[in-house]
């Protein structure tokens, strides 16, 4: 069952949710997230996840993009944040 209360209701809320995830992972440097994203295929066995760029991460989190990021970009971002948080001991 999906919790409708916590579901983002629009683009600004969605970007806010991405920022909240980023904050919960102790705000890793964008450069580190980009580096982690380059190895997601090795870690998770998925070759179709895009590598992130520091500029792209900044633009998305700052709400500077006209469109929301693709689902593949979001997956890379989420996995990169979680992986970096795990590597640094922020999250188990």
């Amino acid at each position: 069952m999906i919790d409708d209360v916590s579901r983002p209701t629009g683009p600004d809320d969605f970007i806010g949710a991405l920022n909240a995830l980023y904050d919960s992972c102790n705000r890793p440097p964008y450069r580190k997230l980009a580096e982690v994203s380059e190895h997601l295929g090795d870690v998770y066995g998925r070759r179709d996840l895009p590598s992130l760029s520091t500029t792209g991460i900044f633009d998305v989190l700052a709400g500077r993009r006209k469109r929301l990021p693709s689902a593949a970009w979001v997956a890379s971002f989420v996995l990169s944040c979680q992986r970096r948080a795990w590597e640094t001991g922020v999250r188990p």
Side-chain angles (χ1 to χ4, degrees), residues 10-15 18 60 65-71 73-74:
D12 292 338
D13 286 345
F14 184 74
I15 297 303
L18 292 177
V60 168
R65 296 276 170 107
K66 290 183 181 180
R67 296 182 182 177
L68 289 174
S70 70
W73 190 96
V74 172

Side-chain angles (χ1 to χ4, degrees), residues 1-91:
M1 187 160 109
I2 297 173
D3 180 9
D4 288 331
V5 175
S6 63
R7 181 182 292 186
T9 59
D12 292 338
D13 286 345
F14 184 74
I15 297 303
L18 292 177
N19 274 289
L21 170 70
Y22 177 70
D23 290 343
S24 75
C25 293
N26 204 30
R27 302 181 57 83
Y30 298 154
R31 180 179 52 82
K32 291 293 185 185
L33 290 180
E35 289 172 9
V36 168
S37 75
E38 293 174 9
H39 304 286
L40 291 176
D42 299 331
V43 175
Y44 297 105
R46 297 286 309 260
R47 304 288 178 204
D48 57 345
L49 294 172
S51 293
L52 305 175
S53 70
T54 57
T55 304
I57 296 167
F58 175 80
D59 287 347
V60 168
L61 293 183
R64 292 186 175 185
R65 296 276 170 107
K66 290 183 181 180
R67 296 182 182 177
L68 289 174
S70 70
W73 190 96
V74 172
S76 286
F77 177 75
V78 169
L79 291 173
S80 295
C81 283
Q82 291 176 338
R83 181 70 184 184
R84 182 65 183 162
W86 177 81
E87 290 174 349
T88 58
V90 171
R91 290 186 142 185

